[in-house]
Amino acid sequence: MPTPGAEQVCLWLGAVGMLVGTLYFLSDGRGVEDRRRREFYVVVVFATATAFVNYLAMAVGFGVTAVELGGRPTQVYWARYTDWMFTTPLLFVGLGLLAGATRRQLAVLVGLDGLMVVTGVLATLSTATGVYAPAGEPLVWWAVSTGVLLSLLYYLFGPLTARAAPLSAALRSTFRTLRNLVAVTWLCYPVWWLAGTGGLGATGPVVETAGFVVLDLTAKLGFGYVLLSSDEALDDAAAATDRATDTGRPAD
Ligand code: RET
């Protein structure tokens, strides 16, 4: 049986980490005047602030609910998914803005991302309810969700990288760093989920929660830090958007 104390400590660390990150990015963005540069701050601050709220909900016990798993009561952290549902598309919007993505490309990224999280919820809930779930059903949803994640990464490395190709060297370098950070951290999620309580059960709830906290902090704060501290890349992104607007470069 997990010690609820240890899990809560992890969740509080997640909440505090996201709060500190939010405050840091807020204060960092205070003097930023450029309208387009500010968009990046808005995206990152909303992502970390939303994560803070969801972590707080989980830490105080509101973001977790008990459901039956094969007749056994199991706790499901629903706030983990409301966090991902809203914040993971935001990270893609940030990446898309940086690469000068078209509206259609942004829609594809956000749409695939939503599908990945929703099918991830199904993987978790089909485990949890056990009503319509023969033993394999959670794994089927897991596979669907992972397939969507892979197609998302394919899109990131294909069309979005191509879109960023004509942009400045500084911008491309920041884009590449962020893209690779996303690829590495995001691929850990399905593996961690599979190892955890909803999958093979190789890790218990405490280790599972601790791992997701580390992943979430890296994927959000690391992403925000790399993005917002790349001054030259942000300036170039702002200039590229201005040029696109002036010259009628297709917006979608
Ligand atoms: C689940 C389980 C089912 C299979 C897959 C998953 C992927 C989740 C991901 C979450 C990313 C979250 C981030 C949060 C930032 O704070 C739902 C775990 C593929 C990729 C980046």
Side-chain angles (χ1 to χ4, degrees), residues 5-89:
E7 237 173 305
Q8 256 171 357
V9 169
C10 295
L11 295 166
W12 276 111
L13 284 176
V16 171
M18 292 299 178
L19 179 62
V20 169
T22 305
L23 295 176
Y24 171 79
F25 295 133
L26 269 178
S27 79
D28 191 46
R30 251 180 343 143
V32 176
E33 297 290 340
D34 184 86
R35 190 171 61 85
R36 299 197 189 279
R37 265 188 86 143
R38 290 178 74 93
E39 285 175 1
F40 290 103
Y41 279 87
V42 170
V43 166
V44 171
V45 166
F46 266 109
T48 53
T50 305
F52 162 64
V53 171
N54 280 284
Y55 264 108
L56 188 62
M58 289 189 276
V60 298
F62 177 75
V64 54
T65 188
V67 283
E68 289 226 329
L69 161 62
R72 256 185 328 126
T74 308
Q75 53 177 17
V76 168
Y77 284 107
W78 58 262
R80 191 175 280 161
Y81 296 93
T82 47
D83 174 356
W84 295 348
M85 193 64 211
F86 291 106
T87 62
T88 52

Side-chain angles (χ1 to χ4, degrees), residues 34-37 39 234-249:
D34 184 86
R35 190 171 61 85
R36 299 197 189 279
R37 265 188 86 143
E39 285 175 1
L234 293 190
D235 284 342
D236 292 349
T241 320
D242 287 339
R243 262 201 315 280
T245 316
D246 293 344
T247 60
R249 187 171 179 241

Side-chain angles (χ1 to χ4, degrees), residues 81 84 88 116 120 142 145-146 149 186 189-190 193 216 219-220:
Y81 296 93
W84 295 348
T88 52
M116 178 196 78
W142 176 89
S145 184
T146 303
L149 171 61
W186 289 44
Y189 281 86
W193 187 97
D216 282 350
K220 278 212 187 69

Side-chain angles (χ1 to χ4, degrees), residues 208-220:
E208 180 180 50
T209 299
F212 277 130
V213 172
V214 171
L215 282 175
D216 282 350
L217 288 173
T218 315
K220 278 212 187 69

Side-chain angles (χ1 to χ4, degrees), residues 126-190:
S126 58
T127 304
T129 64
V131 176
Y132 300 104
E137 192 184 312
L139 294 185
V140 171
W141 288 120
W142 176 89
V144 173
S145 184
T146 303
V148 178
L149 171 61
L150 292 177
S151 62
L152 196 54
L153 294 180
Y154 175 80
Y155 201 79
L156 202 57
F157 279 80
L160 207 65
T161 299
R163 183 76 184 174
L167 302 175
S168 77
L171 204 150
R172 270 183 290 126
S173 150
T174 302
F175 173 79
R176 261 202 311 272
T177 307
L178 289 172
R179 182 198 63 184
N180 297 345
L181 177 73
V182 165
V184 171
T185 51
W186 289 44
L187 280 172
C188 293
Y189 281 86

